[in-house]
Amino acid sequence: MPKEPQINLLSLLLPKKDVCYITNTESVKEVMAKMEEKKYSMIPVLNEEGIYLYSISEGDILYYLKDNFFDMKNIEDKPISIVPPRRQIKSVAMETTERDSLELISTQNYVPVVDDRKMFIGIITRSALVSKFRELGLGIFPEDK
């Protein structure tokens, strides 16, 4: 049985300096402006030390408004930490196996990557992984075969 090609996950890493992220102390208004500017529907949330906490989505903010009967004016200056994420976007360690990363990325648009201190170092996007599979000749779509 032929050995499957190995993928160096760090070679797919979009480093922190190139990722739009927020801190949990930024206001809801600031977060929404960043998401709109970058056209992101979800964004990583870090604490002030740079530790990945979770990812927040536009839907999380909208559901929070709906469930708490607030209008935007009432919360736009409050920290984003008041809005709970409805979905857990799990991070992986730099040493994570390809298989574990693949399982996560099949259900997430990106996988946050952290170091051994849980510091956020970047993300691996689903599109980067698909491109790598195609580059290696590993068909994952009918047109790849």
Side-chain angles (χ1 to χ4, degrees):
M1 176 176 240
K3 187 178 174 187
E4 289 184 22
Q6 297 294 304
I7 299 173
N8 177 353
L9 292 176
L10 288 182
S11 71
L12 303 176
L13 183 76
L14 184 61
K16 179 180 179 179
K17 69 178 182 63
D18 297 332
V19 176
C20 183
Y21 59 88
I22 59 169
T23 62
N24 62 333
T25 58
E26 290 184 54
S27 73
V28 172
K29 184 177 183 177
E30 291 170 315
V31 171
M32 291 183 69
K34 278 186 181 180
M35 292 174 83
E36 183 178 17
E37 174 191 339
K38 297 291 186 178
K39 299 185 179 8
Y40 288 173
S41 60
M42 183 173 281
I43 194 166
V45 180
L46 315 181
N47 70 12
E48 292 291 331
E49 291 77 42
I51 294 174
Y52 174 76
L53 300 173
Y54 53 91
S55 290
I56 197 83
S57 72
E58 293 171 318
D60 296 332
I61 296 168
L62 291 173
Y63 279 109
Y64 185 81
L65 285 169
K66 178 187 83 66
D67 293 345
N68 293 283
F69 307 105
F70 283 116
D71 65 34
M72 195 58 204
K73 293 269 185 244
N74 290 339
I75 71 161
E76 67 183 9
D77 293 325
K78 302 243 188 288
I80 194 66
S81 59
I82 67 165
V83 180
R86 295 172 54 90
R87 182 170 174 224
Q88 184 63 30
I89 301 298
K90 296 178 183 171
S91 63
V92 296
M94 290 188 314
E95 314 76 41
T96 300
T97 65
E98 295 163 21
R99 182 157 308 284
D100 290 341
S101 295
L102 289 172
E103 287 177 22
L104 280 179
I105 210 146
S106 69
T107 60
Q108 301 176 183
N109 287 334
Y110 63 86
V111 176
V113 181
V114 298
D115 66 13
D116 57 351
R117 298 171 299 146
K118 306 290 185 213
M119 301 296 281
F120 179 76
I121 62 168
I123 63 173
I124 297 172
T125 64
R126 185 182 300 159
S127 62
L129 193 59
V130 168
S131 294
K132 188 60 158 181
F133 269 86
R134 285 186 164 154
E135 178 186 313
L136 293 172
L138 303 173
I140 55 174
F141 298 111
E143 63 268 20
D144 293 339
K145 302 200 188 258

